[in-house]
Amino acid sequence: MGRTNEKHVHEVFQSISTKYDKMNGVISLNMHKQWRRDIMRQMSLPVHAQVLDVCCGTGDWTIAIANQLEGKGKVHGLDFSENMLEVGQKKVDDEKLTNVELLHGDATELPFADESFHVVTIGFGLRNVPDPKKALQEILRVLKPGGQVLCLETSHPENVLFKPFYSVYFKQVMPRLGRWVAGSGKEYQWLYDSTATFPKKKELAEWFVDSGFVDVNYRSYAGGAAAGHWGFKRSVLEDAIYE
C-alpha cells in the first residue's frame, strides 16, 4: 500500500469512528463478536499477561482481553486513528478499567522494546496496514519467546455457491448500508477493495510462517468470509533445537 492509500485509509477511519461499532454489527450480523470469542479460546493467556492489541480501533478486543485478565496484567491498545482511539477511551473509562492503556502508533514501527508481550492480537486491521509483512515482523519482535499472536481478518469464501452472493453483498449492499447507518457509503467501499486484494487464508498463514512464527493454524468463519489465524514465537528451547 502506497502512502497515498495509507492517507486515504487514515481518513476513512477518522471519519467513521463514531459509527464504526454500529456498522460492524450490521455488516457481520453481529457475528464478529462470536468470532472473537471463538478465537480467544485459542489464547494462551498467563494470569499476569502483558498483551498488545494492534490496530485496536475502538477497543472492543482490547477491553475483552482486559476483562478476561480480571484486573491482572495489562493490555495496550494501539491504533493509527486518533478518533477511533477517542471512542475506545470512552469505553475504557465507562468500564473503569485500570489495566488498559490506549496509544496512537504505527503497526509497522511498534513503540515497544523487544520481547515485551506474552500475547499480541490484531483484529480486522492487518489488511489496512501499509506493509502487513513488516507489521508481522514487528509483532514477532515484541513477543516474548513462546508468546502467541492471534489475528482476525476478513477473507475469501471457499464455497462456489456462496461466492457470488458474497461479492454482491460487499460491492453493492454494503455501501448502501453505509449510507443508511453511517451517512456515507464511499468509506465502506474500502472494506471490499482491501479484502479483495488481501491474501486468502492459506497464503496468509504462509505469511505468518515466513515471518518466523511456528505452529501456525487457522479456521474459517461465515463460510470463509472471515478467518482467524494464530501462531507462536519460538521458545528459547525451540531456538536451541533449531540451531
Side-chain angles (χ1 to χ4, degrees):
M1 185 195 303
R3 289 295 160 183
T4 301
N5 277 348
E6 182 182 358
K7 182 174 182 291
H8 170 65
V9 175
H10 181 261
E11 290 172 350
V12 165
F13 285 97
Q14 288 285 87
S15 67
I16 66 173
S17 58
T18 58
K19 301 288 186 180
Y20 179 79
D21 291 333
K22 185 176 182 180
M23 194 64 196
N24 259 4
V26 171
I27 290 172
S28 72
L29 304 178
N30 262 340
M31 289 190 294
H32 68 289
K33 297 177 181 178
Q34 179 183 332
W35 304 338
R36 185 177 67 235
R37 286 194 296 269
D38 182 75
I39 197 170
M40 284 180 70
R41 295 189 185 101
Q42 309 297 326
M43 188 179 290
S44 301
L45 201 63
V47 175
H48 296 281
Q50 296 294 312
V51 182
L52 173 62
D53 185 20
V54 181
C55 301
C56 68
T58 59
D60 279 357
W61 203 352
T62 312
I63 290 169
I65 296 168
N67 285 329
Q68 187 165 319
L69 288 172
E70 299 181 342
K72 302 169 185 176
K74 187 167 184 178
V75 188
H76 297 262
L78 177 140
D79 201 86
F80 75 151
S81 168
E82 300 89 343
N83 290 355
M84 297 282 277
L85 289 170
E86 185 177 340
V87 175
Q89 188 62 55
K90 186 177 186 307
K91 294 181 189 177
V92 171
D93 294 342
D94 288 346
E95 294 203 24
K96 297 180 172 59
L97 295 170
T98 59
N99 62 334
V100 172
E101 179 183 3
L102 301 183
L103 65 156
H104 181 255
D106 184 345
T108 63
E109 295 180 11
L110 296 175
F112 302 103
D114 295 357
E115 302 181 2
S116 294
F117 299 101
H118 297 92
V119 174
V120 177
T121 60
I122 181 165
F124 303 106
L126 190 59
R127 73 182 186 284
N128 297 316
V129 175
D131 188 341
K133 291 184 178 180
K134 187 175 180 182
L136 290 176
Q137 291 166 3
E138 276 289 275
I139 290 171
L140 186 72
R141 178 183 67 78
V142 301
L143 272 174
K144 296 178 181 292
Q148 185 182 29
V149 60
L150 299 102
C151 173
L152 271 172
E153 193 50 89
T154 54
S155 193
H156 303 262
E158 298 148 336
N159 188 301
V160 293
L161 298 176
F162 180 53
K163 283 181 181 180
F165 295 100
Y166 169 87
S167 180
V168 169
Y169 177 74
F170 265 69
K171 291 181 73 173
Q172 299 181 27
V173 177
M174 193 169 56
R176 290 185 173 89
L177 288 174
R179 283 193 292 274
W180 173 53
V181 176
S184 177
K186 63 180 181 179
E187 286 85 355
Y188 288 92
Q189 180 64 36
W190 169 252
L191 180 58
Y192 173 78
D193 293 341
S194 59
T195 299
T197 57
F198 201 67
K200 296 181 179 180
K201 290 171 283 294
K202 184 177 179 181
E203 184 183 350
L204 183 55
E206 291 170 355
W207 279 18
F208 278 83
V209 173
D210 291 343
S211 297
F213 292 99
V214 297
D215 297 329
V216 174
N217 211 331
Y218 61 92
R219 64 177 49 172
S220 295
Y221 299 110
H229 288 71
W230 62 94
F232 297 85
K233 183 173 182 174
R234 283 178 180 166
S235 65
V236 175
L237 178 60
E238 286 174 319
D239 278 338
I241 292 173
Y242 281 94
E243 283 180 357

